[in-house]
């Protein structure tokens, strides 16, 4: 009975707040002469703050047109904006900036949804050793990470040198499908110097860029390494979940002036790999069994950062230099 009453109270509060919010919107419209979309665009700076408010306003609207505008095809965005202006009785000649601002927001909103679809497609595609393209990507990953060491055979214990679990990496891609391979190759190719350094540190953590004094100060006497490729696939899973949950909207809406793309996602993966590597060394775990604890602590730190509407994960490596100036 108590549970039922609690639920009833919550439902009543929900509808009361919704009704109150609609009344406030009506009053604000009468007082300012502007609809909610206008007030957001004119009073909120571009980026995640504005786009997320616009997204919430459209999604929670009573109008079917506004509700569906967040999932239209990119080619239909301009027409959708014209329809919204007409519905809201806004003269585009008097309010030209509104159309431009709405278009930028919708490109980001629709682009984010499409990015999830693209990433999900890669995640669901299994690695196929009979597919020449898949095999070529895997062999290139070795070449990028170990440019001075030839791979003796396709099935080889050498794969363990870059952090795979056995002599055939295909079995390690089961969880994230091709997405894991795409991300690892992107990191190894686009930011080869950093990727090779992270690989070296993961194998020989005490040979990293930390000085002896820093090691002693941080008391990292054990310096446990980790499996580079396996961790890369695990961080791919982290990036994927941040994307699907919507946590990465803050980052993408702040750094992509239009639609975020797969390249933006891969650059974010590179950043997460780089940051996790530093975090792992700073945490100085007792052994590899502490991986899940360290990963969860790292995940919470990233999520906390992304809760800031002004946040942009600004990597300091070659693969993402273009993001900062967008």
């Amino acid at each position: 009975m108590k549970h039922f009453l609690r639920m009833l109270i919550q439902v009543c509060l929900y509808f009361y707040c919704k009704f109150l919010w609609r009344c406030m919107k009506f009053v604000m419209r009468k007082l300012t002469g502007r609809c909610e979309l206008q007030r957001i665009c004119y009073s909120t700076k571009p980026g995640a703050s504005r786009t997320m408010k616009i997204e919430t306003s459209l999604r929670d609207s009573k109008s079917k047109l506004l509700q569906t505008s967040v999932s239209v095809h990119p080619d239909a965005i301009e027409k959708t904006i014209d329809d919204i202006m007409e519905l809201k009785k806004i003269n585009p000649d008097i309010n030209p900036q509104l159309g431009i601002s709405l278009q930028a927001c919708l490109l980001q909103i629709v682009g984010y949804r499409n990015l999830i679809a693209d990433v999900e497609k890669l995640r669901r595609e299994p690695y196929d050793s009979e597919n020449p393209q898949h095999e070529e990507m895997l062999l290139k990953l070795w070449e990028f990470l170990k440019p001075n060491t030839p791979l003796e055979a396709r099935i080889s214990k050498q794969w363990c040198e870059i952090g795979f679990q056995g002599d055939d990496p295909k079995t390690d891609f089961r969880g994230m499908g091709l997405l894991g391979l795409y991300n690892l190759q992107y990191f190894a190719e686009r930011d080869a110097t950093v990727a090779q350094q992270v690989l070296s540190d993961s194998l020989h953590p005490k040979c990293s860029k930390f000085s002896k004094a820093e090691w002693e100060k941080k008391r990292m006497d054990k310096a446990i390494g980790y499996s580079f490729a396996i961790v890369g696939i695990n961080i791919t899973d982290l990036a994927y979940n941040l994307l699907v949950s919507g946590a990465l909207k803050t980052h993408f809406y702040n750094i992509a002036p239009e639609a975020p793309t797969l390249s933006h996602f891969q650059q974010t993966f590179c950043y997460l790999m780089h940051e996790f590597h530093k975090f792992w060394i700073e945490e100085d775990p007792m052994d590899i069994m502490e991986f899940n604890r360290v990963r969860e602590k790292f995940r919470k730190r990233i999520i906390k950062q992304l809760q800031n509407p002004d946040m942009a994960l600004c990597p300091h490596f070659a693969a993402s230099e273009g993001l900062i100036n967008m």
Side-chain angles (χ1 to χ4, degrees):
M1 187 65 180
K2 288 183 179 179
H3 180 67
F4 173 76
L5 287 174
R6 192 182 300 114
M7 287 186 64
L8 183 62
I9 292 171
Q10 289 176 345
V11 170
C12 290
L13 281 173
Y14 169 77
F15 283 107
Y16 173 75
C17 292
K18 199 167 187 179
F19 173 76
L20 185 63
W21 177 244
R22 293 195 186 282
C23 289
M24 289 178 61
K25 286 173 65 176
F26 177 78
V27 172
M28 290 297 291
R29 175 73 185 253
K30 292 299 181 182
L31 289 175
T32 64
R34 294 175 175 175
C35 69
E36 185 177 38
L37 296 177
Q38 286 176 295
R39 295 196 301 273
I40 293 172
C41 288
Y42 293 151
S43 64
T44 311
K45 65 182 181 180
S49 296
R50 177 190 289 177
T51 301
M52 293 176 81
K53 286 180 180 179
I54 290 292
E55 187 173 12
T56 300
S57 178
L58 294 172
R59 190 180 59 244
D60 295 346
S61 173
K62 293 186 296 182
S63 167
K64 193 70 176 176
L65 170 64
L66 268 61
Q67 290 176 8
T68 57
S69 65
V70 298
S71 57
V72 299
H73 191 277
D75 294 340
I77 287 178
E78 285 191 30
K79 183 182 183 305
T80 300
I81 291 172
D82 291 340
D83 292 341
I84 291 174
M85 301 280 273
E86 184 178 348
L87 176 69
K88 295 293 184 178
K89 297 180 173 59
I90 300 171
N91 188 333
D93 295 326
I94 299 175
N95 301 273
Q97 187 58 41
L98 179 63
I100 296 171
S101 298
L102 282 177
Q103 183 177 21
C105 291
L106 276 181
L107 281 169
Q108 290 182 318
I109 295 166
V110 172
Y112 192 93
R113 292 171 65 96
N114 292 338
L115 175 58
I116 290 178
D118 292 342
V119 167
E120 184 64 31
K121 183 179 179 181
L122 284 175
R123 189 186 74 86
R124 288 179 177 272
E125 184 174 355
Y127 182 89
D128 181 5
S129 57
E130 300 298 319
N131 187 316
Q133 183 183 0
H134 295 186
E135 287 288 285
E136 182 182 2
M137 288 180 63
L138 181 60
L139 294 175
K140 280 186 176 179
L141 175 63
W142 175 271
E143 292 175 9
F144 292 138
L145 290 173
K146 306 279 284 186
N148 300 317
T149 307
L151 184 66
E152 296 173 0
R154 167 60 181 81
I155 307 297
S156 170
K157 288 294 183 183
Q158 281 182 287
W159 290 111
C160 297
E161 295 177 22
I162 61 173
F164 287 105
Q165 295 183 100
D167 57 9
D168 191 350
K170 71 176 183 180
T171 58
D172 293 327
F173 293 116
R174 288 173 183 167
M176 285 285 107
L178 274 190
L179 185 62
L181 178 56
Y182 265 76
N183 279 351
L184 282 169
Q185 188 195 352
Y186 188 95
F187 185 33
E189 180 181 8
R190 299 299 181 93
D191 202 50
T193 302
V194 172
Q196 289 171 26
Q197 184 61 56
V198 170
L199 171 61
S200 176
D201 289 353
S202 71
L203 295 169
H204 311 289
K206 280 204 171 185
C207 297
S208 74
K209 63 182 178 180
F210 284 105
S211 67
K212 184 177 179 181
E214 287 175 312
W215 280 108
E216 292 175 352
K217 183 180 179 181
K218 294 176 181 291
R219 296 181 179 178
M220 294 184 284
D221 54 329
K222 304 173 200 64
I224 300 299
Y226 57 82
S227 299
F228 176 88
I230 297 300
V231 168
I233 294 170
N234 200 289
I235 296 300
T236 293
D237 176 73
L238 172 60
Y240 166 78
N241 282 292
L242 289 173
L243 177 73
V244 173
S245 69
L248 279 177
K249 284 182 179 181
T250 318
H251 169 63
F252 286 140
Y253 290 170
N254 281 328
I255 57 92
E258 295 184 349
T261 64
L262 184 59
S263 291
H264 289 110
F265 177 77
Q266 291 175 307
Q267 289 160 351
T268 303
F269 163 78
C270 294
Y271 171 77
L272 292 173
M273 273 293 286
H274 194 229
E275 289 300 298
F276 179 80
H277 174 65
K278 293 191 294 183
F279 189 76
W280 175 266
I281 292 177
E282 289 167 1
E283 282 292 298
D284 190 27
M286 294 287 292
D287 53 50
I288 196 64
M289 298 302 292
E290 287 199 68
F291 177 82
N292 287 337
R293 176 191 66 80
V294 176
R295 181 192 185 275
E296 179 60 17
K297 190 174 179 180
F298 178 72
R299 184 189 70 85
K300 288 179 178 178
R301 189 177 77 165
I302 295 296
I303 287 178
K304 186 176 181 180
Q305 291 175 351
L306 291 170
Q307 288 172 347
N308 177 358
D310 296 325
M311 183 62 189
L313 302 174
C314 294
H316 301 292
F317 49 81
S320 298
E321 285 176 354
L323 289 182
I324 300 170
N325 298 317
M326 278 184 167

